[in-house]
Structure formats: C-alpha cells, structure tokens
Amino acid sequence: MTENTQQQTAPTTELPTQYAPAEVEGPLYERWVERGYFEADAKSEKPPYTIVIPPPNVTGSLHLGHAFEHTLIDALTRRKRMQGFETLWQPGMDHAGIATQNVVERELAKEGKSRHDLGREAFVERVWQWKAESGGQISGQMKRLGDGVAWSRERFTMDEGLSQAVQTIFKKLYDDELIYRAERIINWCPRCLTAISDIEVEYQDDDGELVSIRYGEDEDSLVVATTRAETMLGDTAVAVHPDDERYRHLVGKRIKLPLTDRTIPVVADTHVDPEFGTGAVKVTPAHDPNDFEIGQRHDLPNLAVMDERAVITAHGPFQGLDRLEARSAIVAALRAEGRIVAEKRPYTHSVGHCSRCKTTIEPRLSMQWWVKVGPLAQAAGDAVRDGKVTIHPQEMEKRYFDWVDNLHDWCISRQLWWGHRIPVWYGPDGEVVCVGPDEQPPSGEGWHQDTDVLDTWFSSGLWPFSTLGWPERTESLAKFYPNSVLVTGYDILFFWVARMMMFGLYAMDGTPPFHTIALHGMVRDQNGKKMSKSFGNVVNPLDWMDEYGSDAVRFTLANGANPGVDVPIGEDWVKASRNFANKIWNATRFALMNGATIEGDLPPVERLSATDRWILSRLNATVAQVDAYYEDYQFAKLSDALYHFAWDEVFDWYVELSKTTFFAGGEQAKVSGRVLGEVLDVMLRLLHPIVPFVTEALWTTLTGRESVVIADWPKDSGFRDPAAEAEIENLQQVVTEVRRFRADQGLQPGQKVPARLELGGTALAAHEAAIRQLLRLQPEGEGFSATASLPVGGATVALDLSGTIDVEAERKRLTKDLAAAEKEKAQANGKLGNEAFLAKAPDNVVEKIRTRLAKADEDIARIQAQLANLPQA
C-alpha cells in the first residue's frame, strides 16, 4: 500500500488485556512533543500546509466548541503530515482585552481596590502578572485533547512581535486615510465603561414596557411609542414617512417635546415604516444608531443625555438618576400630564447585553477611532468572487457576501487599559501624530498619547501573518503564507474571518490569508438545543475525556461534523465511541496473538484466498473514499466510513472468516496473517488523525516502528477484485439470512443446530467451514431431519429444528402477525384506491401510505417464508 522509511524494531504481540486511555494518552503526547513531530521547518523543501488555531482567550478553558474545532484541525494536519507536507498548525492565544481586564479588576475588587488606585502602568503590569500565573490554562487542556500544534511557535497577541505588527498596520492604514477619528453611535457597556464590538453583544428577549406618548398639542400632535422613555430627553425631532398623508401637514413644523421647554421639528424620512405602530418615531440621534443616520440626513443636533455610566445628565428633575430609575420617573411624570396614550407591560423584546458582564448595552454617541472598510471589504468580497479563496460549504458564500458587501465602518477603539494602545499622540496646539514602530513619539510639554486601546479583533485579524513574523519578511512568512485552510465556526465568519481577509489582502500585496475557508457549525446537546448555563446542559469535555478517553470524545465530534451544520452530542454517543476504541484494541490484540504481521511483502494474488482478496479490495476502496471525503471536509462521512470498515468488514467479517484458517495453521494461515497485518497497518493509519492515541499504541506494537504520527499516509494501490467482493457478499447474504431466521425462531445466538449445506458448484463451497462456524451449525449426523430449508444466495441451508422450538406456538404467532400485515395492506390499498382521498390528501401523507403499503408487502413475504420454513407437524 505504501512505503515506510521509519526505523523498525522487532514487533511485539504484547498488549494489555484492556485499553486504559488514562495510562496511555499523557505519556504518548509527551513523547510526540519531545521528539518534535509537530514542529515546522521553514527551510524544508517539502510543500507547506498551514493552519492557524483560532486563538482562544487567555482567560478561557477548553469547552466543547474548542474540542470540536481542534479535533477537525488536528485531523487535517495529522493527515497532511503523513502525506509528506511540511505541516504547521500555529498555536497561540488572544489577549482578550475586556475579558482579561474584567478578571483582574474583580481580583482587585476583592482587595478593596480599583484599577484607578493602581494607575495605568501598574495595572497593566498586574495583568501581565496574572497571565503568567493563571492565564493560558487552555494550553494544557489542548494537550489533553491531543492537539498536534507547533508549541515552539506559540504566540500571544500582546507579544512584542505581534505588537509591532499591530502598530505597523495601524500606521499604514492611517497614512492611507483608511483610519480616522469621528463621533458616531457605538455599543457602550456602562459597567465595563468601553465601546464593544458587535460580537461582544449578546441579544436576549427581556420583559420591558412599550409606552405610547403624545407629542405636541391638539391638531398639531402625534403619538410615538418607545421602550426607552428616558431617551426622550434627548429627542431632537419626530420622523414620519414622506408619503404618509396623516402627517403631511406637520412636516416642517415644530412641536412641543413633553417634560421640557424645547420644541422639535417633524421631519420626513423614508426610513420610517408607515405601517408600523403609529407611523411616527421619536428621533434621538445621540442614543440610537438609526436615529443618528436620520439626524445626519436632516442636520439635527446630537443631544447626549446620559454619561458613560448611563446616568441622566439632562438638566431638570431627572438629572442624576440611573437610566432605569429615570425611565420609571419619566413615565410617571408623563402620565401625570396626561401624555400617556397606551402602556404595554410586560413587553418582550430583544435587548443587547455585554457578553462579559451581562449589563444592558447602551447605544451612545462617542468619539472613537474607525477603519474605513469600503475598499478593504471590496477586496475581501472580490477574492471569493474571483476564486482566490473558496468557502466551504459553498452555500455559505451568500452569507459572506451579504456581510462584506454591506459592511459599515469598523469602530476599533476601546476605553480599556489592557490591550494595544492606539499609537497616536496629541500636541498642545491640536497636533495629531501617528507613530510607527520604528519612529520616536513626539515629546515635550503638552504632548500625550491617546488613552484608548484597539479592539481585540484588530490584532487577531493579523493572525495568519503576524504569527509568521510580519512585518519582517521572514523565512516562515515566505514558506507558510498564505495559510492552506482556515477551519472556523460560521458564527464568526463576519467578525474574524472578514477582518483577516481585509487585513491579509491589504498587508500582503493582494495575497489572501488562506486558500480555503472551511466552516463548521455549533456544538449542541443531543436534542439539538444550544448549550447554555441557564439551560443546565453545558458539558465540560474534560470530564468526558477523564471518563471515556480523548479518542472517544474526538471520534464523537468528528462523526457529527457535516460542513456548516450544527453538531448534536450526547454522553451515550461518547460511550459508543469508547466502545469503538475498545473494539479496535481488542480485535488488534486478537490479531497479533493469531499471526497478524507486516513482515515481508504481501503474497502474490494467486496465493490469496477469496476472503483475503475481498478485504484487500475493500481496503483500497476505503482509502480512496476517505481521501475524497477529506478533500471535501466531510468529517462525518469519513468517520462513518472508517467505523463501518473497521467494525463491520474487518472485525465482524474478515477476522471471523479467517478464524478457521488461523486455527488450522499451515501456509494459508501465514498468508492470511500477512494480509490481516496489512489491513490493520493501513486501517490504523487511516484512523490515526481522528483517534491518535489508541492508534499510536496499536500501530507501534504491530509494526515495531517509531510512531504512526510520522508514518506514510496510505495510498490506494488500485487493487480491486469485483469477483471476490461478489463472492463474499454472497456469503454474507447467506449468513445474514440464516441468522435472521434463527432469531425469528427464537434460537439463542450460541445455540448449535444440525444442518446440511447444499452449496453445489457455487464458490460458497470453499467457505463451508467458515459458514458453519459463524452460524453455529453442526454436521448432519444420524437421524438428521431437514425440518426447515432456506434457499438463499444460490445455496440451500437445511436445518433440523426438531426439539429446539415449540412449532405450534410459533405457527400461531406468525399466523397472527400475517393477519395484521394483510390488514395493514388492505387499509393502505383502500386509501390509495380512493380517488377522492388522493385528490385532497397532501403529497407527504400519500407518500407515507405508499411506504406503509411497501412495508406491509415486505412483512407478508417474510412471514410467509417463515411459515413455509417451519418444521411440519
């Protein structure tokens, strides 16, 4: 099947009687790392294969989503390594600005301090100290899972080299007028006191109130509805649709804003939906993104009425109240004035919350730094349209284009202390200077640096090339950029993938950061429900790894991984995967004890039995099938193919069919032992990327070679034997049908029955001993009476069931079952023959009835055959 140049020692048949993952996995992983199997050499002449790890937060720990994604990436890289590629799986972690700052601030709070007590420099030093002592526990957990990453290349988004990359691209974008500072609406967290990205906002249905308020007086009045009554203090207009006849007389007029001494204009704007509510909306440009856009179009003032902690700042009786306190007070005051037209409580609506602290997000007008994404997003879209980058599965392309083709400018500044500080200095006379990594910042009285830091996604957007040494033109950058494939969840297609595309194309002279984007779904519980602490269905994968082994968790995850589709997972499935690992172990142990070997060449075809030729034909077909599935990122299908080949064809059929040969000994036993060794060798190598630990332990024992990690990936030799496959399929049909008949007659699996095999001139004659062994069939003997005769597969199996079953009771049972099946058939035929029913019934209902009819026909034929085969009284 393939050549292997590893140094070989004498193989051993010594394997423990049971597979104990806890005793095997840790030592094996340490050995792999010590021997440098996962490292990547930029000087190598092998073709490169590169994947970056989606950098987990330094505050994080391994969850099922990580385990799922890492399993897929590890499978890809392990296979490519075995195929002879210089493989780099780039590890690292994200500094996770807001999450990490929150962790350290909570620690300080326990000491009765805040970050302001320490000051910026001391606080940042405290965060670095926390990282050194407590951060990055996920790295150790990745090792538990078996991640084959190049640990010597591990990077952190706040490393010196990556910080240089951040400053370099900021300067370049700034000089190209693609970064600017402006006052816009952003997501603001009043608890974390910073702008946050869209991905850091979690939406949930909250119970609030919908209040309808009358603005203006008499005929010059209209009604608006709001869930945020407190923002009315910042209203600077009311908007209606220009074609709405109800309000045309008011457009251009000014009306009284309740509870204030201000009047505000009525403006006409096409953004307003005249069919929604009253068709009139309040406009608060400083506290709503849509209102801000309306305000820009109509040159409305931006009136901020809340500070950074969401406390009311507008003059009057509500000043100093928290936004929620002010909401109740304002509604009460409006009610007292008779301004409340309607109130709806509770009113369930979607509300954004900070993903870190769960505080309700406040849209807020704020001076921030922005990336002008227009030209960058255009390039990111064109790279996919032009075929430079392939999105897999292809149906995800539409979602990608919907995003990048409508991308708004990106707010990149955060009001934090932990992160990459914005490299801009302000002078005493209004000067603004952006400083590159090799430039000296201005100094002197009155000069100061911007206090904000950059959004975490800014630095992680550089990940595919900053980790390779950019902006320096390093050997690693030349060798491993662009990445071969990005494996990531569709949920961050917009937030991370799009940013990497924009920055990669911009910084690397139009070369995209990866050739392929392979998107996977989300891990859900076994009922398809999202995993959430509030649902109580969150699973710690480390618990399952402790109980069942890492291979079992990996195989379960891979076996559910259809491209772009969510993955349900339950503990019972992990148990089944554990059983599969045990099956591989036990069957390989049996094979080794019975002569399985890889010593010498495979015997010539003419010396192989039909069973040997069948399994080698199936082996090569499986290699080809698995390769095709890997190239299409069909992890579920390749896992399923390997499972059924290993369990069904190798263990349940080939090993069982070969037992008589092994027990007989002689030359044919040696031939089959060599074939079985070949099959196990290739099968274990095919399985290795998904279940690395058990395959390493077994393969090194079987072959005596150093490691399956650096073994050659199997190749399809092209050997196929349709005749042998047809012959064994015929044998399988005979065995399966007789087993089904035995079960139908209530015979125990191990119960022996006298039988006569009439195999005639068929190829089955060569398999009589194996058939008898598999079916527990004894020779005829004296007094044999063929009470049941089964014609199947061109042969006849005659059984003597006298004394083994209660024939009369069995006949009554089958007769009753036959009557039920015939009744079912009659009912189905009656409905399908009714033209009136067919004219009215939905297609799916008619199809179900046809399925019932086909099933009834099958049942009738089966039961009639069973009755015919019963011993005669």
Side-chain angles (χ1 to χ4, degrees):
M1 299 291 292
T2 184
E3 294 297 320
N4 194 295
T5 57
Q6 292 188 47
Q7 185 175 357
Q8 185 173 344
T9 58
T12 176
T13 60
E14 294 296 324
L15 279 174
T17 56
Q18 292 183 324
Y19 178 49
E23 298 174 12
V24 171
E25 294 174 352
L28 282 184
Y29 191 86
E30 289 180 10
R31 187 188 311 160
W32 293 336
V33 173
E34 287 170 2
R35 293 179 178 177
Y37 293 155
F38 305 139
E39 296 304 324
D41 183 3
K43 293 183 170 62
S44 169
E45 295 183 0
K46 296 178 183 179
Y49 186 80
T50 316
I51 293 180
V52 296
I53 188 173
N57 287 354
V58 67
T59 59
S61 60
L62 190 76
H63 57 62
L64 268 178
H66 291 130
F68 173 54
E69 186 168 80
H70 292 197
T71 293
L72 305 188
I73 299 175
D74 199 38
L76 291 173
T77 53
R78 283 179 183 270
R79 173 174 175 262
K80 284 297 182 180
R81 189 179 293 111
M82 295 171 76
Q83 286 182 314
F85 286 78
E86 192 61 34
T87 302
L88 169 61
W89 182 8
Q90 174 66 53
M93 285 182 293
D94 192 288
H95 66 277
I98 190 169
T100 307
Q101 180 156 320
N102 278 348
V103 168
V104 178
E105 284 196 87
R106 283 196 294 269
E107 285 194 354
L108 286 174
K110 294 175 185 177
E111 302 170 13
K113 299 178 182 177
S114 74
R115 59 181 162 126
H116 300 285
D117 294 323
L118 272 67
R120 183 168 194 144
E121 187 175 336
F123 176 77
V124 170
E125 182 59 37
R126 178 71 176 259
V127 179
W128 278 108
Q129 180 184 338
W130 174 88
K131 177 188 179 291
E133 295 173 356
S134 307
Q137 63 171 319
I138 195 170
S139 296
Q141 295 164 346
M142 288 164 56
K143 296 174 182 177
R144 283 284 314 279
L145 188 65
D147 286 5
V149 300
W151 287 112
S152 69
R153 292 173 172 265
E154 186 174 14
R155 304 305 299 269
F156 181 56
T157 49
M158 289 282 286
D159 284 348
E160 182 178 347
L162 272 65
S163 296
Q164 183 182 24
V166 167
Q167 195 170 352
T168 299
I169 201 163
F170 187 100
K171 171 71 171 173
K172 181 174 170 60
L173 288 164
Y174 183 87
D175 289 347
D176 288 344
E177 298 183 349
L178 293 173
I179 281 183
Y180 63 95
R181 193 168 184 243
E183 196 174 41
R184 298 272 185 86
I185 293 284
I186 44 85
N187 300 312
W188 182 265
C189 176
R191 156 60 183 81
C192 299
L193 299 180
T194 180
I196 64 174
S197 66
D198 291 339
I199 198 172
E200 291 168 319
V201 179
E202 292 180 348
Y203 287 90
Q204 66 185 50
D205 288 340
D206 287 356
D207 285 340
E209 60 181 1
L210 181 66
V211 183
S212 298
I213 309 167
R214 182 173 299 282
Y215 283 25
E217 305 294 342
D218 302 324
E219 68 274 6
D220 288 345
S221 70
L222 36 67
V223 175
V224 300
T226 181
T227 58
R228 302 165 67 216
E230 69 279 8
T231 62
M232 68 164 293
L233 300 175
D235 286 357
T236 55
V238 173
V240 298
H241 193 277
D243 297 332
D244 196 330
E245 294 290 345
R246 293 171 296 175
Y247 304 117
R248 182 164 290 178
H249 68 287
L250 290 177
V251 174
K253 289 187 176 181
R254 299 185 72 85
I255 60 174
K256 179 76 166 54
L257 178 65
L259 305 184
T260 72
D261 57 2
R262 295 192 292 119
T263 61
I264 56 177
V266 177
V267 299
D269 196 282
T270 55
H271 171 76
V272 180
D273 180 1
E275 302 298 324
F276 183 76
T278 64
V281 297
K282 59 193 287 298
V283 182
T284 321
H287 294 279
D288 184 274
N290 293 320
D291 293 5
F292 179 80
E293 298 295 334
I294 294 174
Q296 293 289 294
R297 289 192 288 272
H298 297 277
D299 197 26
L300 300 174
N302 300 317
L303 181 60
V305 294
M306 277 183 256
D307 67 12
E308 61 183 7
R309 298 184 184 276
V311 172
I312 300 298
T313 58
H315 292 296
F318 312 108
Q319 185 175 11
L321 295 179
D322 171 79
R323 56 182 166 168
L324 298 182
E325 296 172 333
R327 181 176 302 172
S328 299
I330 287 171
V331 170
L334 289 167
R335 192 183 298 113
E337 287 192 6
R339 292 283 180 177
I340 299 295
V341 175
E343 296 179 69
K344 185 176 181 180
R345 294 189 187 86
Y347 178 73
T348 303
H349 60 135
S350 181
V351 178
H353 296 259
C354 174
S355 63
R356 304 302 176 190
C357 70
K358 311 309 176 187
T359 302
T360 300
I361 291 302
E362 190 64 45
R364 184 170 189 257
L365 186 65
S366 179
M367 182 66 75
Q368 303 285 345
W369 285 94
W370 304 81
V371 172
K372 186 185 297 182
V373 300
L376 302 175
Q378 178 70 43
D382 290 345
V384 175
R385 291 188 180 92
D386 298 344
K388 290 181 181 179
V389 178
T390 301
I391 294 180
H392 188 89
Q394 189 175 5
E395 54 265 28
M396 287 287 179
E397 280 188 4
K398 182 180 183 303
R399 296 179 66 174
Y400 176 79
F401 292 136
D402 285 347
W403 179 258
V404 297
D405 292 347
N406 298 285
L407 204 56
H408 297 295
D409 285 0
W410 171 21
C411 175
I412 56 172
S413 47
R414 299 291 179 266
Q415 290 64 56
L416 303 171
W417 286 357
W418 172 244
H420 297 101
R421 194 165 174 181
I422 288 176
V424 170
W425 272 255
Y426 305 103
D429 298 318
E431 303 95 331
V432 180
V433 177
C434 180
V435 177
D438 300 321
E439 301 171 349
Q440 287 294 323
S443 58
E445 187 176 349
W447 282 93
H448 65 278
Q449 186 178 358
D450 196 298
T451 57
D452 288 351
V453 301
L454 287 164
D455 177 12
T456 297
W457 296 100
F458 190 94
S459 50
S460 60
L462 314 179
W463 194 247
F465 51 94
S466 64
T467 53
L468 297 172
W470 187 90
E472 300 299 324
R473 296 289 170 171
T474 63
E475 286 183 320
S476 289
L477 189 65
K479 178 73 174 179
F480 296 113
Y481 187 92
N483 296 179
S484 306
V485 61
L486 175 75
V487 179
T488 192
Y490 64 70
D491 56 318
I492 56 173
L493 172 64
F494 320 127
F495 305 104
W496 187 45
V497 179
R499 282 154 172 69
M500 286 190 290
M501 286 284 283
M502 290 191 296
F503 281 168
L505 289 160
Y506 175 75
M508 297 300 293
D509 304 319
T511 302
F514 18 73
H515 298 302
T516 301
I517 302 168
L519 297 170
H520 59 72
M522 311 291 289
V523 178
R524 296 180 177 270
D525 71 12
Q526 60 190 18
N527 299 313
K529 195 172 184 179
K530 180 181 178 181
M531 288 192 173
S532 166
K533 290 180 180 177
S534 60
F535 296 153
N537 61 351
V538 174
V539 174
N540 183 347
L542 296 168
D543 293 339
W544 281 352
M545 289 156 67
D546 290 340
E547 181 72 19
Y548 306 111
S550 296
D551 283 335
V553 174
R554 289 170 62 113
F555 190 81
T556 304
L557 291 165
N559 204 31
N562 290 298
V565 178
D566 288 347
V567 183
I569 185 171
E571 188 167 5
D572 286 345
W573 304 341
V574 183
K575 289 179 183 177
S577 297
R578 184 270 315 273
N579 294 342
F580 179 47
N582 288 341
K583 182 75 171 179
I584 299 170
W585 183 274
N586 294 333
T588 304
R589 184 172 179 273
F590 169 85
L592 289 169
M593 293 171 62
N594 286 275
T597 180
I598 64 164
E599 295 294 324
D601 296 331
L602 273 175
V605 174
E606 57 271 16
R607 291 181 58 197
L608 302 178
S609 68
T611 309
D612 294 333
R613 287 182 279 114
W614 162 73
I615 197 63
L616 290 174
S617 182
R618 292 297 308 131
L619 178 67
N620 278 282
T622 301
V623 171
Q625 188 178 45
V626 168
D627 275 335
Y629 286 146
Y630 261 115
E631 295 305 315
D632 200 33
Y633 303 98
Q634 297 279 0
F635 294 98
K637 290 182 178 179
L638 73 89
S639 299
D640 189 63
L642 286 169
Y643 176 90
H644 288 293
F645 175 72
W647 195 305
D648 299 345
E649 297 186 297
V650 178
F651 303 147
D652 280 358
W653 285 107
Y654 182 73
V655 170
E656 293 299 320
L657 288 170
S658 301
K659 280 183 178 178
T660 53
T661 303
F662 290 138
F663 296 160
E667 193 59 32
Q668 194 56 46
K670 293 181 181 178
V671 170
S672 292
R674 179 64 187 88
V675 170
L676 181 53
E678 181 77 6
V679 171
L680 291 175
D681 169 24
V682 174
M683 183 194 76
L684 291 170
R685 282 186 277 149
L686 288 174
L687 282 164
H688 173 71
I690 304 293
V691 285
F693 295 108
V694 69
T695 50
E696 171 80 339
L698 293 174
W699 189 85
T700 52
T701 301
L702 169 71
T703 66
R705 291 175 177 155
E706 181 181 339
S707 175
V708 70
V709 177
I710 54 172
D712 294 333
W713 182 252
K715 294 178 182 177
D716 175 12
S717 70
F719 176 77
R720 301 289 191 281
D721 194 325
E725 291 199 35
E727 181 175 328
I728 300 304
E729 285 172 11
N730 193 20
L731 181 153
Q732 290 172 328
Q733 182 185 3
V734 171
V735 172
T736 301
E737 288 299 319
V738 176
R739 280 177 173 168
R740 183 179 295 120
F741 175 78
R742 287 175 57 109
D744 288 341
Q745 305 306 317
L747 298 176
Q748 296 300 312
Q751 188 173 350
K752 294 184 178 181
V753 178
R756 179 172 64 243
L757 304 187
E758 298 172 3
L759 305 177
T762 68
L764 291 173
H767 303 284
E768 180 169 352
I771 292 173
R772 286 188 177 276
Q773 172 69 26
L774 290 170
L775 291 173
R776 303 295 189 267
L777 302 180
Q778 294 177 319
E780 300 171 41
E782 291 186 20
F784 176 82
S785 173
T787 57
S789 183
L790 301 176
V792 58
T796 300
V797 179
L799 304 172
D800 184 354
L801 301 178
S802 56
T804 61
I805 60 173
D806 184 339
V807 176
E808 200 53 43
E810 186 65 14
R811 194 182 307 280
K812 286 181 180 179
R813 184 184 70 81
L814 290 172
T815 301
K816 183 179 179 181
D817 290 348
L818 180 61
E822 288 173 337
K823 181 179 179 181
E824 176 74 5
K825 178 178 180 178
Q827 290 176 341
N829 273 328
K831 288 186 176 180
L832 293 174
N834 185 334
E835 294 296 334
F837 170 79
L838 293 177
K840 295 179 180 178
D843 291 344
N844 65 317
V845 173
V846 175
E847 186 57 36
K848 283 182 180 179
I849 295 172
R850 289 195 177 113
T851 302
R852 283 169 50 196
L853 177 60
K855 175 68 165 53
D857 281 333
E858 290 177 7
D859 289 344
I860 290 169
R862 175 178 56 79
I863 296 167
Q864 287 175 337
Q866 290 175 233
L867 281 166
N869 284 313
L870 280 176
Q872 299 303 312

